Amino acid sequence: MSEQPQILFKYRTVPGYDNIDVYQKNEGYTALRKAIKMVPDDIINELKLSGLRGRGGAGFPTHIKWNGIPKNWDRPHYLVINADEGEPGTAKDREIMNLMPHMLVEGCIIASWAIRANNCYIYVRGEYMEPIASVRKAVEQAYAAGFLGKNILGTGFDLDITVHQGAGSYECGEESALMSSLMGERGMPRHKPPSAPLPVISGVWNSPTIINNVETIATVVPIINIGGAEYSKWGTERSKGTKLFTISGHVNKPANYEIVLGTPIRKMLEIAGGPLNGKPLKFLIPGGSSTPLLPATDQYLNLAMDYETMGANGTMLGSGGLMFFNEDVSVPKLMTRLMHFYAHESCGKCTPCREGTNWLTKIHDRIMAGGGRYEDLDLLLDICNNIGGRSFCALGDAAAMPIQGAMRFFRNEYEALIPKESLSKRVFTPLPIAGAVR
Amino acid sequence: MFSEEAKTQLDNLIKKYPKKKAALLPALWIAQEQYGGYVPPEALREVAEYLDLPPAEVEGVATFYTMYNKTPVGKYHIEVCHNIACMVVGADDLIEHIGDKLGIEKGDTTADRKFTLSGAECLGACANAPCLMIGPKYYENVTPELADKIVDELSRK
């Protein structure tokens, strides 16, 4: 662990770090005192120097997002924190909220100052009742200490933070669905550019809104403390700094780890204690359940964990949910479980996702029950092609990508489940789709 | 009926948002608590009245989210994560084990209305799998032995 700098997790294990007193004794709220003396543009410039990219999954540069906030606009600005952590395999934001809630609160205040927002909403998934209690306590303590409320630190800047509890919907992690949900609606995605303006122009209540992931906002704190240039010394050319990874599955020490971007996957496996009981690994999922899997061979274990390398290998870094699976795991069985999940969580707004996830599930169930047909395999891929890039939001892609990954590397496992008599000459001929990748 | 305390809580909540409607999710949480762990039609009507919303809209929202129970659940709602990170380290066996112990199937409630057993989608504790939640509390790295202990303790309560 020694060569992995702990920028975010520096004081995580300090007892009582979720309390404001202990937090302040460990560099707590120093970044806020520094930032509040800076003009917003200078804060955004520090982020630019740091190279920080959104940690929620998309990896969009944070400074570009913040810089888009209108300079002269007569509507109130809002900061919304996406704490609807629901991507299977990802459990890092929960740790931030449980153990270091003040870092999130401090990040929220700095971000609100930089984007001139007087209201911040932290939208936490409904199941996270313990993290909600932890963040609520931190918010109360911050109010009592004068870091929130009216005239913060004598600057005349006012800010209120409200912790908002979701109610069980994976879809609400999608930013436009989250905003719908925050406004008291069903958690369904909204129109996106070019047919509608970006949230930064018109988000919640038709006002300029910045929406960021918990980890992104928490990372702003150490960046202001040490400076953007210092932060950017870690990582690769385009994937800067460190990132939290939830390493789970068949490893000896599953946990949340702060890892420098660009670290080889093999090294991460080592950090997580190696394969569980030494049993050989079969494959891995690099960034949460919706990112396509990779075989656990030397070729892929040697890959660097950063946005670009993962992208170049047909998968994604995603939200940092790195899962390892050993030989005991059947790929089609795992995918069946995953398809039930996506079909359950599809919000039902658009046809490709609502119908597609349902059919992917039914076909998987059929194959698992021994009634699979040979042409089912191509049918699965055809459905994926009809979901990917054709659904209203990324949930559709999230359901299609794992199947495409599984078929790329483990088609043989699916074939093995198809009854022999079905292995006839019957071939599935899909209708042509413009631009489809097969 | 909402208690006076719940109404005060709701009034304070409404002030935190620019539009009253935004308090709908929090209001449904309060309603679920007031009505003993689920939201019957009268709870939805009461929320609709309080927030000046059409009852159909409130029902539409309440039925969208899985955590608002539309039917009564047991005093202790055991929700075991069965998504992939938990599945590969024994979540399915764990659900079966708890079901056998309680004498019920997944999705059922015990005759004494004390326990409901459900499967849950990823609870976000993948690094400490398998996990389950009972009310607000998470239990992590749950072995069948630990599950027995948890159930036994709650049975005595």
Side-chain angles (χ1 to χ4, degrees):
Chain A
M1 285 292 286
S2 55
E3 69 269 43
Q4 296 287 338
Q6 300 294 290
I7 297 171
L8 213 54
F9 272 177
K10 194 171 174 187
Y11 302 108
R12 172 179 60 150
T13 49
V14 174
Y17 192 58
D18 58 333
N19 264 306
I20 196 160
D21 300 338
V22 179
Y23 183 71
Q24 282 191 279
K25 278 184 196 129
N26 294 286
E27 294 185 71
Y29 290 104
T30 53
L32 172 65
R33 290 176 201 278
K34 197 170 155 189
I36 212 111
K37 293 193 190 94
M38 295 161 75
V39 292
D41 281 351
D42 289 349
I43 297 174
I44 293 172
N45 196 47
E46 282 302 320
L47 289 185
K48 189 177 178 180
L49 289 174
S50 76
L52 177 66
R53 292 167 67 172
R55 301 298 194 220
F60 189 76
T62 308
H63 73 97
I64 297 180
K65 198 183 253 190
W66 290 19
N67 208 23
I69 204 90
K71 299 277 185 285
N72 299 301
W73 195 262
D74 54 0
R75 299 189 72 93
H77 295 178
Y78 292 103
L79 175 70
V80 178
I81 307 302
N82 186 343
D84 194 69
E85 181 175 63
E87 176 80 357
T90 317
K92 64 187 177 64
D93 295 341
R94 175 166 167 260
E95 183 137 338
I96 293 177
M97 291 187 278
N98 270 339
L99 299 180
M100 33 204 254
H102 278 287
M103 194 180 256
L104 171 63
V105 172
E106 186 178 4
C108 288
I109 308 171
I110 296 170
S112 298
W113 170 249
I115 64 160
R116 299 173 299 280
N118 300 113
N119 276 291
C120 165
Y121 295 95
I122 304 178
Y123 185 106
V124 193
R125 66 178 291 187
E127 292 85 350
Y128 278 7
M129 295 182 216
E130 290 159 306
I132 287 171
S134 167
V135 176
R136 281 203 173 129
K137 189 184 89 182
V139 168
E140 273 169 32
Q141 290 179 340
Y143 268 108
F147 298 130
L148 282 173
K150 300 271 177 230
N151 192 20
I152 295 166
L153 297 172
T155 54
F157 173 58
D158 304 336
L159 176 66
D160 286 309
I161 294 185
T162 304
V163 181
H164 189 97
Q165 184 181 4
S169 164
Y170 170 76
E171 174 56 13
C172 289
E174 197 274 347
E175 65 174 20
S176 70
L178 187 148
M179 291 190 286
S180 301
S181 181
L182 178 60
M183 290 186 283
E185 294 167 11
R186 295 165 80 100
M188 288 180 166
R190 301 178 152 241
H191 274 290
K192 295 187 180 59
S195 57
L198 282 164
V200 72
I201 303 297
S202 181
V204 282
W205 301 290
N206 298 322
S207 288
T209 304
I210 292 291
I211 177 159
N212 273 130
N213 170 262
V214 169
E215 186 189 345
T216 314
I217 289 293
T219 310
V220 170
V221 175
I223 287 175
I224 296 296
N225 268 329
I226 64 175
E230 180 66 25
Y231 182 81
S232 74
K233 283 181 184 164
W234 299 102
T236 68
E237 198 191 330
R238 291 183 60 204
S239 298
K240 296 291 187 195
T242 59
K243 159 138 191 49
L244 303 185
F245 285 88
T246 306
I247 306 183
S248 66
H250 294 133
V251 290
N252 283 315
K253 290 191 291 178
N256 288 304
Y257 294 97
E258 182 171 2
I259 306 277
V260 175
L261 288 169
T263 301
I265 295 175
R266 185 186 299 283
K267 180 78 201 165
M268 294 172 73
L269 174 61
E270 216 173 89
I271 289 170
L276 184 65
N277 304 327
K279 201 164 192 171
L281 296 173
K282 185 153 103 182
F283 64 100
L284 59 100
I285 295 179
S289 67
S290 53
T291 61
L293 57 81
L294 295 172
T297 54
D298 282 348
Q299 183 191 348
Y300 294 106
L301 285 175
N302 289 335
L303 291 180
M305 181 60 92
D306 59 55
Y307 295 102
E308 288 69 38
T309 309
M310 289 300 112
N313 284 278
T315 184
M316 286 167 77
L317 185 140
S319 51
L322 174 59
M323 293 184 263
F324 289 98
F325 301 95
N326 66 22
E327 300 167 330
D328 293 343
V329 179
S330 144
V331 174
K333 190 180 171 200
L334 195 85
M335 289 299 145
T336 305
R337 186 72 277 287
L338 213 45
M339 287 310 112
H340 276 272
F341 167 69
Y342 286 113
H344 178 257
E345 298 297 340
S346 172
C347 79
K349 177 168 180 144
C350 73
T351 314
C353 175
R354 182 186 62 238
E355 294 298 313
T357 52
N358 195 22
W359 283 109
L360 288 176
T361 307
K362 285 182 178 171
I363 296 166
H364 270 90
D365 281 345
R366 172 160 85 203
I367 294 173
M368 291 309 291
R373 307 161 196 162
Y374 189 67
E375 62 267 34
D376 278 348
L377 308 188
D378 284 333
L379 181 58
L380 283 175
L381 284 175
D382 185 58
I383 295 171
C384 288
N385 274 337
N386 276 296
I387 300 176
R390 285 164 175 79
S391 43
F392 206 90
C393 78
L395 195 148
D397 304 283
M401 287 189 300
I403 302 295
Q404 289 164 327
M407 284 288 179
R408 181 175 162 205
F409 295 109
F410 295 101
R411 191 181 169 108
N412 58 337
E413 287 196 23
Y414 278 89
E415 283 172 359
L417 291 169
I418 309 287
K420 288 271 182 302
E421 61 271 20
S422 149
L423 297 172
S424 61
K425 303 254 178 314
R426 283 157 63 188
V427 178
F428 171 74
T429 332
L431 292 169
I433 311 164
V437 185
R438 200 164 290 277
Chain B
M1 284 290 283
F2 283 3
S3 65
E4 285 310 312
E5 197 192 341
K7 282 180 182 165
T8 317
Q9 208 184 339
L10 251 168
D11 291 337
N12 287 334
L13 262 168
I14 292 167
K15 285 184 207 139
K16 291 175 188 275
Y17 303 91
K19 293 264 169 68
K20 217 174 175 181
K21 190 181 170 186
L24 180 49
L25 262 66
L28 286 168
W29 277 115
I30 294 174
Q32 178 148 302
E33 203 188 307
Q34 292 280 309
Y35 281 83
Y38 79 119
V39 282
E42 56 267 34
L44 300 181
R45 272 199 295 277
E46 201 175 350
V47 168
E49 215 164 278
Y50 212 89
L51 296 178
D52 298 323
L53 292 170
E57 188 166 354
V58 173
E59 190 174 348
V61 170
T63 50
F64 182 85
Y65 297 95
T66 51
M67 292 186 78
Y68 300 126
N69 300 313
K70 269 61 76 176
T71 47
V73 291
K75 186 176 174 194
Y76 300 108
H77 190 183
I78 306 176
E79 298 177 77
V80 188
C81 177
H82 60 194
N83 212 298
I84 54 173
C86 285
M87 171 186 142
V88 298
V89 288
D92 293 344
D93 293 343
L94 186 63
I95 293 173
E96 213 182 303
H97 179 86
I98 299 174
D100 287 348
K101 186 167 173 73
L102 296 173
I104 53 174
E105 295 280 317
K106 185 164 94 173
D108 290 347
T109 302
T110 52
D112 61 359
R113 308 218 63 82
K114 202 150 189 191
F115 293 100
T116 299
L117 177 64
S118 308
E121 293 304 352
C122 188
L123 293 175
C126 315
N128 305 84
C131 69
L132 59 85
M133 71 183 276
I134 303 174
K137 196 169 164 39
Y138 269 45
Y139 297 85
E140 298 170 59
N141 302 311
V142 185
T143 55
E145 294 74 42
L146 177 59
D148 284 346
K149 217 178 118 203
I150 296 166
V151 172
D152 288 341
E153 261 167 35
L154 293 176
S155 301
R156 282 194 291 273
K157 271 191 193 170

